[in-house]
Amino acid sequence: MAEVVKMPKMSDTMTEGVIAKWHKKVGDKVNSGDLIAEVETDKATMDFESYQEGTLLYIGPKEGEAVAVDAVIAVLGEEGEDYKSLLEGDSSASKEEENKEEASSNTEEPASDDVDEDSPSVSAEDLGCTVITMPLLSDTMTEGVIAQWNFKVGDAIKSDDAIADVETDKATMEVTAYAEGTLLYIGVEAGQAAKVNDIIAIVGPEGTDVKPLLKQQPSSSGKVAKSEEAKQESKETKEEASGSTASASNASDDSRVKASPLARKIAKEKGINLNDIEGSAEGGRIVKKDVETFVPKAKEQPSAPASAATESKTISLPQYIGEEKYTEQKVSQMRKTIARRLSESLFTAPHFYLTISVDMDNAIEARGQINAVAPVKVSFNDIVIKAVAVALKQHPAVNSSWQGDTIRFNEHVNVGVAMAVEDGLLVPVVRFADGKSLSHISAEVKEYGQKAKAKKLQPSDWEGSTFTVSNLGMFGIDEFTSIINSPDGAILSVGAIQQVPVVKDGAVVPGNIMKLTLGCDHRVVDGATGAAFLQTLKGLLEAPIRLLA
């Protein structure tokens, strides 16, 4: 009998996996234990072995496609067996949900739609009206908030009137009517938000019934607004052409010049007369870039006395034209999980930070003596891990985690070691670090580092930490703060050893100082508790002989 093969959950944080490679194809025989695919999880690329036997009848996702955990990825059975009913059964639940959502959305539609279905559609042009929609005032804008209305229903509107101020994601900007008539309808009250292209106002002949326009689909109203705007702009172009002689006599007045609200605002701030600028938009309309790139022409000055020959010269800078470019890369499973877990930690756990300076003179001397006899080279990070493990045994409150209704105080010490890899960050765990020697810790961390770079870490390697150490000292970072690796209650950020002048026995002498910053979850670790832990850790690092006791 045919059986479905589902995307397995290969780590505690995995929500979906990417099929990196298929090792079998449809029609191949598969035995229990055979490698059928490689799956890229949020931690590493792992082998997926079959627990079933049979012929591979169906493969769902292609290589490179992401699949949710427990979704069907393949079907095994007897050669020629009909398996389509299994796939239909798997999707029945999702189809049922879609039907429910569709039914609920149908019930939410207004009853008036049924009435208007057979009635002829009425356009704004038929009524002689202009529909004003929420304009797209910035490249990232999805909605705007009406900061204030400058007119009320019944007021007469001119084409260049700013009828409202709209607060976008960038700034507060004016919305120009581009229509003449009476303000017949206001769709959004001051302080409320409207999506881009939603109807916010209607202008037209006084007394016009605008209800038929409000019953139209939003898409049609958007088209109407665009056509009306184009019509109005062409009308204004003709008016400007016929009134060119009149504008020449009053060149200083630029209130009738076609310009966007933002362009008009920038010109006013720079003291530029819009009559002097040539617009690049449709119909000669002046936009932001026209004002920003405008270079004033030198005006002819009347003959001046010789004393004015020393007047200052204007400096014009050449215009630099560049090209905006970017590339986009698909987010990896590891990066998705890092983003989700760290966001959950930062926005759930109330973080606070404590920083302390440690004199590393004795640790430097001790490391040299240890490496003279140790089977593997011990790093400063290995010494920090060992010191952290010993200090945690003395301060169990820091070796704890928030469980909601309870606080778990861990009696074992498992130290997670943050490691940077090509796609992000992994945190393998040195288990029972308090009982291991420096050489043992060093060898284990080096092995984890090699496995991490080769993407060979297994879930058992990164699960179960009770505390985390993050070290950026090798990059020359003096000090920094880290986000807690949930569910741990704290994380230690280790900076570089800096050679600085220090005071010893009343004299200024060269010293080697390292800064440690403890990030704490305030739900389980209080300030005094974290400070006491750092004091113990400082004492162990400044007298490392105590780590060998």
Side-chain angles (χ1 to χ4, degrees):
M1 181 178 177
E3 295 180 89
V4 295
V5 180
K6 296 185 177 182
M7 174 62 72
K9 187 178 178 68
M10 294 180 165
S11 76
D12 55 339
T13 58
M14 177 178 172
T15 58
E16 64 179 9
V18 173
I19 301 296
K21 183 178 181 180
W22 284 105
H23 288 277
K24 300 285 185 179
K25 61 182 184 295
V26 173
D28 286 355
K29 296 289 184 181
V30 178
N31 296 318
S32 178
D34 281 355
L35 176 64
I36 61 172
E38 292 179 18
V39 177
E40 180 189 343
T41 72
D42 56 327
K43 304 289 187 181
T45 300
M46 306 174 68
D47 294 338
F48 176 40
E49 298 177 357
S50 174
Y51 295 100
Q52 299 129 306
E53 295 185 355
T55 301
L56 188 57
L57 304 175
Y58 165 80
I59 287 178
K62 298 178 182 178
E63 291 182 358
E65 289 186 5
V67 183
V69 170
D70 289 334
V72 175
I73 60 174
V75 177
L76 289 173
E78 296 181 5
E79 189 173 355
E81 186 177 356
D82 184 14
Y83 60 85
K84 292 183 179 178
S85 59
L86 292 176
L87 300 180
E88 292 172 358
D90 183 69
S91 61
S92 62
S94 59
K95 287 183 178 178
E96 188 176 341
E97 279 297 319
E98 291 177 4
N99 292 336
K100 287 181 180 179
E101 290 179 3
E102 187 176 348
S104 63
S105 63
N106 289 338
T107 58
E108 290 173 0
E109 291 181 0
S112 60
D113 286 354
D114 296 333
V115 178
D116 296 339
E117 200 172 71
D118 299 327
S119 62
S121 61
V122 179
S123 68
E125 192 171 5
D126 295 337
L127 299 178
C129 297
T130 299
V131 174
I132 301 173
T133 60
M134 176 62 72
L136 182 67
L137 299 174
S138 77
D139 54 346
T140 58
M141 175 179 172
T142 58
E143 65 177 14
V145 175
I146 301 295
Q148 70 173 30
W149 285 101
N150 300 326
F151 295 87
K152 62 182 183 295
V153 173
D155 287 352
I157 303 295
K158 295 181 181 179
S159 61
D160 58 348
D161 282 341
I163 62 170
D165 293 340
V166 172
E167 180 184 342
T168 73
D169 56 336
K170 304 286 188 183
T172 300
M173 305 172 71
E174 296 177 342
V175 174
T176 305
Y178 298 117
E180 293 190 359
T182 302
L183 184 58
L184 303 173
Y185 169 79
I186 288 179
V188 182
E189 297 296 327
Q192 293 183 350
K195 295 186 180 301
V196 171
N197 292 330
D198 280 358
I199 297 175
I200 60 172
I202 298 177
V203 176
E206 186 175 0
T208 303
D209 183 11
V210 299
K211 290 181 180 178
L213 294 179
L214 300 178
K215 295 177 182 178
Q216 302 295 324
Q217 295 296 326
S219 59
S220 63
S221 65
K223 294 177 182 177
V224 169
K226 289 180 181 178
S227 63
E228 289 296 326
E229 185 176 336
K231 180 180 176 182
Q232 184 61 33
E233 288 200 1
S234 62
K235 179 181 176 183
E236 290 178 359
T237 305
K238 293 177 182 178
E239 289 177 355
E240 284 190 358
S242 62
S244 59
T245 55
S247 62
S249 62
N250 191 15
S252 61
D253 182 13
D254 61 1
S255 60
R256 305 295 294 179
V257 177
K258 281 200 304 177
S260 70
L262 182 57
R264 192 177 294 278
K265 180 180 178 183
I266 295 173
K268 184 177 180 181
E269 292 174 351
K270 293 187 174 184
I272 299 174
N273 192 312
L274 293 176
N275 289 307
D276 299 333
I277 304 176
E278 184 177 350
S280 61
E282 184 179 354
R285 188 163 177 253
I286 298 170
V287 293
K288 175 185 174 184
K289 68 175 182 178
D290 297 327
V291 180
E292 291 181 336
T293 59
F294 173 69
V295 178
K297 295 180 180 179
K299 296 182 179 180
E300 295 182 2
Q301 298 292 338
S303 58
S307 60
T310 58
E311 68 180 9
S312 61
K313 296 180 180 179
T314 58
I315 301 174
S316 66
L317 297 175
Q319 182 181 357
Y320 181 82
I321 299 175
E323 182 182 2
E324 293 183 358
K325 298 172 66 177
Y326 64 86
T327 58
E328 291 185 351
Q329 183 178 356
K330 190 174 181 181
V331 179
S332 66
Q333 300 303 303
M334 181 184 296
R335 182 56 59 187
K336 285 181 182 179
T337 302
I338 290 172
R340 176 174 56 82
R341 283 178 57 81
L342 294 187
S343 295
E344 289 173 356
S345 175
L346 183 61
F347 300 136
T348 302
H351 286 54
F352 74 92
Y353 296 95
L354 303 170
T355 301
I356 196 168
S357 296
V358 180
D359 184 348
M360 294 294 288
D361 284 348
N362 291 335
I364 292 172
E365 184 179 354
R367 177 174 176 261
Q369 295 175 358
I370 292 170
N371 283 337
V373 296
V376 293
K377 295 295 182 182
V378 174
S379 68
F380 288 112
N381 196 52
D382 300 328
I383 296 174
V384 171
I385 293 171
K386 176 66 175 179
V388 162
V390 174
L392 287 173
K393 293 296 288 185
Q394 301 180 39
H395 300 274
V398 183
N399 195 39
S400 62
S401 59
W402 178 261
Q403 301 291 314
D405 294 331
T406 60
I407 297 175
R408 175 177 294 171
F409 294 94
N410 298 295
E411 298 180 13
H412 59 285
V413 177
N414 291 349
V415 180
V417 184
M419 293 182 177
V421 293
E422 183 180 354
D423 296 332
L425 188 72
L426 293 174
V427 187
V429 180
V430 178
R431 301 179 188 281
F432 313 111
D434 56 309
K436 293 178 178 178
S437 67
L438 287 169
S439 297
H440 192 155
I441 292 173
S442 178
E444 197 168 325
V445 171
K446 285 181 174 63
E447 182 183 359
Y448 280 144
Q450 293 172 356
K451 292 172 69 175
K453 289 180 180 179
K455 295 185 177 181
K456 295 299 181 182
L457 285 174
Q458 299 299 310
S460 58
D461 295 330
W462 63 67
E463 293 172 352
S465 68
T466 62
F467 187 93
T468 303
V469 172
S470 179
N471 190 341
L472 293 179
M474 66 286 292
F475 298 106
I477 302 301
D478 294 345
E479 61 178 300
F480 65 102
T481 59
S482 303
I483 299 174
I484 296 170
N485 182 31
S486 181
D488 297 354
I491 186 170
L492 185 71
S493 305
V494 183
I497 299 175
Q498 300 287 331
Q499 289 187 331
V500 296
V502 297
V503 178
K504 291 185 178 181
D505 299 326
V508 178
V509 296
N512 294 280
I513 301 298
M514 180 175 70
K515 290 187 177 180
L516 303 176
T517 300
L518 182 68
C520 306
D521 181 349
H522 216 325
R523 296 174 299 180
V524 294
V525 181
D526 294 326
T529 305
F533 169 79
L534 283 179
Q535 286 290 344
T536 301
L537 182 59
K538 174 184 172 74
L540 291 168
L541 291 173
E542 292 183 343
I545 191 68
R546 296 166 57 188
L547 298 175
L548 306 177

